Amino acid sequence: MATPENKLAFSGGWEYDPAPQSTDHITLNKRYGLFINGDFVPPARGRYFDTINPATEEKISRVADASSDDVDKAVKAARAAYNGAWGRMKPAERGKYIYRIARIIQERAREFSVIESLDGGKPIRESRDIDVPLAAAHFFYYAGWADKLEYAFPGRTARSLGVAGQIIPWNFPLLMASWKIAPALACGNTVVLKPAETTPLTALKLAEVVADAGLPPGVVNIITGSGVAGAALVEHPGVDKIAFTGSTNVGRMIQKTLAGTNKKYTLELGGKAANIIFADAAIDEAVEGIVNGIFFNQGHVCCAGSRLLVQESVADEVIAKLKDRMETLIVGDPLDKNTDIGAINSPMQLEKIESYLKIGREEGGEMHQSSCRLPKKGYWCRPTIFTGVSQSNRIVQDEIFGPVLAIQTFRRYDEAVMKANNTPYGLSGGVWTDKGAKIFKVTQAIRAGVIWANTFNKFDPTSPFGGYKESGVGREGGLHGLGAYVKLGA
Ligand code: NAD
């Protein structure tokens, strides 16, 4: 069993020296306006808010707080671009602009990763190796489709929708922006994108990339602000399509607002995925997969493996190995290249996670946390597991969005499937077994948009992503992601 005393033994007897990522190469303004019609402009009502580094609680910059007047201005700019230069442009030319965005993101990858980690709290290793490369890959992938839509929808004509209103959360700010903007542009639409309140900076940097890539003014508009601006975008009569990624609660409100309108929509919402470990699985790999599934990005992942269903005969072994592995995870400075778990994104999110730790204990669950030291400033949560929990517990049913894993056991295959399916969500899942036939059987039986086998949290722009049940409506990514941005005719 790992303890602070023998912790050094797990790292081979050595503590890691700090390996901080340099921040010399980034430039951030003290204040950012709204990116409308190709320029940064002040918000109509002159209001700004701070964006904070969650690892230090220090202010990084100030960003504009868009009102409904600004939303109106951005939608009108997007409409004018759609009716103008962008709408008239040949698809192959459109593709060139999207390729250019992809290449500039690659060129500025170090800058993007550092800003993502500063603003959002995620470890630099993740923003550098996952968020930024995948964001560029999305633009590359959809750039290729721009002049090939007739092959994407054989025998049908695909026409663009018009202006897309896009609203994204704080857990993958640049990546979610690319999931939204790239397919919309490839299909010939123009966009108004609203990033989340706590992580606006990489979206504003993306606005700079859009300007550097020479896109006609108004094709991409980026407006920072709160849910008020998001709601104004959803309600705006000049918007033809809403693409939303965020919580199920807000998704529900948006769906109500859109009911009875002609607006097309996709909703990518919450999740409570189960990793199912059968006794015949490669246990060490499975433990690594669990760690990756829930502690990766502080558990701020919609498809996080926040539940573990482990076959009873190997449960003790898996839990012991998991506890040992948790002891070796480094929690701390997101800009340190050794860090495994960074800062919780905001004080509100930390409060929510802590309230669930209390609920879990009150429900009778047994809580275990790693013994790591936490930095004095900033928002942090130790990797946490709960055992002794049952299916009806909130810790098993609710999305927590933090590094908190609820562990249950099962004896038979059908019990595992029943438990995995028994939540309101259906976004993702994982299965770990030595038997290919079992993989096919389980993946058919689980109602979730993506299920990984003997791995977890793997993404690719060519594969569709989206949820069943309360995890959402529609798909993003791949060919399916194009369908969400076109009208199909005969
Ligand atoms: P959130 O729903 O609170 O906010 C998401 C975005 O919606 C923000 O930009 C916010 O300003 C905006 N918003 C808030 N109220 C609004 C309203 N009334 N109308 C329109 N927009 C409004 O979610 P969050 O806390 O930022 O993100 C976490 C959630 O996102 C989790 O539930 C997570 O599972 C989900 N998520 C889902 C996916 C997916 O692909 N399914 C991906 C990432 C995150």
Side-chain angles (χ1 to χ4, degrees), residues 92-109:
E93 288 303 306
R94 251 184 4 237
K96 286 186 200 165
Y97 282 102
I98 309 170
Y99 276 123
R100 212 176 282 165
I101 295 175
R103 281 195 299 270
I104 302 177
I105 293 177
Q106 277 187 327
E107 281 160 18
R108 294 172 60 172

Side-chain angles (χ1 to χ4, degrees), residues 167-171 176 194-197 226-227 230-231 234 244-247 250 253-254 268-271 302 399 401 427 465:
I167 301 166
I168 55 172
W170 44 260
N171 59 340
M176 289 299 114
K194 193 200 87 63
E197 296 80 327
S226 67
V234 173
F244 172 77
T245 298
S247 61
V250 174
M253 292 194 298
I254 292 180
E268 299 285 351
L269 310 175
C302 51
E399 184 185 49
F401 227 53
L427 191 60
F465 187 83

Side-chain angles (χ1 to χ4, degrees), residues 82-230:
Y82 181 74
N83 292 336
W86 194 248
R88 285 195 297 270
M89 196 177 284
K90 289 205 172 71
E93 288 303 306
R94 251 184 4 237
K96 286 186 200 165
Y97 282 102
I98 309 170
Y99 276 123
R100 212 176 282 165
I101 295 175
R103 281 195 299 270
I104 302 177
I105 293 177
Q106 277 187 327
E107 281 160 18
R108 294 172 60 172
R110 283 183 62 212
E111 183 188 356
F112 270 108
S113 1
V114 168
I115 296 173
E116 200 72 305
S117 286
L118 275 178
D119 205 22
K122 64 173 61 193
I124 186 72
R125 243 179 22 215
E126 282 174 21
S127 32
R128 183 195 64 197
D129 299 345
I130 298 169
D131 296 58
V132 178
L134 270 178
H138 264 82
F139 280 104
F140 275 121
Y141 172 73
Y142 280 111
W145 275 118
D147 60 351
K148 299 176 195 69
L149 293 179
E150 66 205 88
Y151 303 105
F153 307 102
R156 316 282 304 269
T157 37
R159 287 201 315 277
S160 53
L161 300 173
V163 176
Q166 308 182 316
I167 301 166
I168 55 172
W170 44 260
N171 59 340
F172 288 91
L174 180 70
L175 185 57
M176 289 299 114
S178 69
W179 279 28
K180 299 276 179 284
I181 296 176
L185 297 188
C187 294
N189 305 282
T190 56
V191 308
V192 178
L193 175 106
K194 193 200 87 63
E197 296 80 327
T198 55
T199 52
L201 292 180
T202 46
L204 293 166
K205 282 277 152 187
L206 186 60
E208 290 177 9
V209 170
V210 166
D212 289 351
L215 266 80
V219 175
V220 173
N221 303 276
I222 296 184
I223 51 164
T224 48
S226 67
V228 173

Side-chain angles (χ1 to χ4, degrees), residues 39-382:
D39 265 327
F40 281 99
V41 296
R45 298 188 194 167
R47 287 193 307 243
Y48 292 82
F49 59 94
D50 292 346
T51 183
I52 304 288
N53 177 342
T56 61
E57 301 177 46
E58 282 161 12
K59 180 173 104 181
I60 312 173
S61 179
R62 277 176 80 66
V63 299
D65 186 6
S67 63
S68 52
D69 299 336
D70 300 304
V71 170
D72 184 51
K73 198 168 155 190
V75 172
K76 284 183 174 145
R79 175 65 58 193
Y82 181 74
N83 292 336
W86 194 248
R88 285 195 297 270
M89 196 177 284
K90 289 205 172 71
E93 288 303 306
R94 251 184 4 237
K96 286 186 200 165
Y97 282 102
I98 309 170
Y99 276 123
R100 212 176 282 165
I101 295 175
R103 281 195 299 270
I104 302 177
I105 293 177
Q106 277 187 327
E107 281 160 18
R108 294 172 60 172
R110 283 183 62 212
E111 183 188 356
F112 270 108
S113 1
V114 168
I115 296 173
E116 200 72 305
S117 286
L118 275 178
D119 205 22
K122 64 173 61 193
I124 186 72
R125 243 179 22 215
E126 282 174 21
S127 32
R128 183 195 64 197
D129 299 345
I130 298 169
D131 296 58
V132 178
L134 270 178
H138 264 82
F139 280 104
F140 275 121
Y141 172 73
Y142 280 111
W145 275 118
D147 60 351
K148 299 176 195 69
L149 293 179
E150 66 205 88
Y151 303 105
F153 307 102
R156 316 282 304 269
T157 37
R159 287 201 315 277
S160 53
L161 300 173
V163 176
Q166 308 182 316
I167 301 166
I168 55 172
W170 44 260
N171 59 340
F172 288 91
L174 180 70
L175 185 57
M176 289 299 114
S178 69
W179 279 28
K180 299 276 179 284
I181 296 176
L185 297 188
C187 294
N189 305 282
T190 56
V191 308
V192 178
L193 175 106
K194 193 200 87 63
E197 296 80 327
T198 55
T199 52
L201 292 180
T202 46
L204 293 166
K205 282 277 152 187
L206 186 60
E208 290 177 9
V209 170
V210 166
D212 289 351
L215 266 80
V219 175
V220 173
N221 303 276
I222 296 184
I223 51 164
T224 48
S226 67
V228 173
L233 188 56
V234 173
E235 285 161 18
H236 198 291
V239 168
D240 301 290
K241 139 106 195 180
I242 289 292
F244 172 77
T245 298
S247 61
T248 295
N249 274 345
V250 174
R252 245 187 234 118
M253 292 194 298
I254 292 180
Q255 202 170 20
K256 276 191 195 146
T257 309
L258 296 181
T261 70
N262 268 337
K263 291 176 193 169
K264 212 169 162 164
Y265 61 88
T266 41
L267 305 173
E268 299 285 351
L269 310 175
K272 191 75 181 177
N275 250 316
I276 304 176
I277 301 196
F278 286 96
D280 59 13
I283 299 296
D284 289 342
E285 282 83 344
V287 168
E288 213 44 47
I290 302 164
V291 167
N292 174 24
I294 183 62
F295 300 137
F296 160 80
N297 199 21
Q298 302 71 253
H300 294 343
V301 184
C302 51
C303 52
S306 50
R307 291 184 294 150
L308 169 61
L309 295 170
V310 54
Q311 199 153 18
E312 212 169 81
S313 57
V314 291
D316 288 347
E317 180 189 355
V318 168
I319 294 168
K321 287 188 165 173
L322 181 59
K323 286 181 176 173
D324 281 351
R325 181 68 178 96
M326 284 163 67
E327 243 0 272
T328 67
L329 293 173
I330 300 174
V331 182
D333 181 5
L335 287 183
D336 191 312
K337 291 168 210 153
N338 295 321
T339 294
D340 297 302
I341 301 180
I344 300 301
N345 181 262
S346 66
M348 296 78 77
Q349 187 57 24
L350 181 57
E351 200 177 303
K352 177 177 170 194
I353 297 169
E354 285 174 343
S355 78
Y356 272 102
L357 300 186
K358 188 157 170 274
I359 291 169
R361 288 194 302 264
E362 285 168 0
E363 286 175 331
E366 192 180 315
M367 185 174 95
H368 171 88
Q369 294 188 304
S370 82
S371 63
C372 63
R373 278 189 299 270
L374 298 180
K376 291 216 165 42
K377 285 216 119 183
Y379 316 120
W380 310 95
C381 180
R382 293 188 173 86

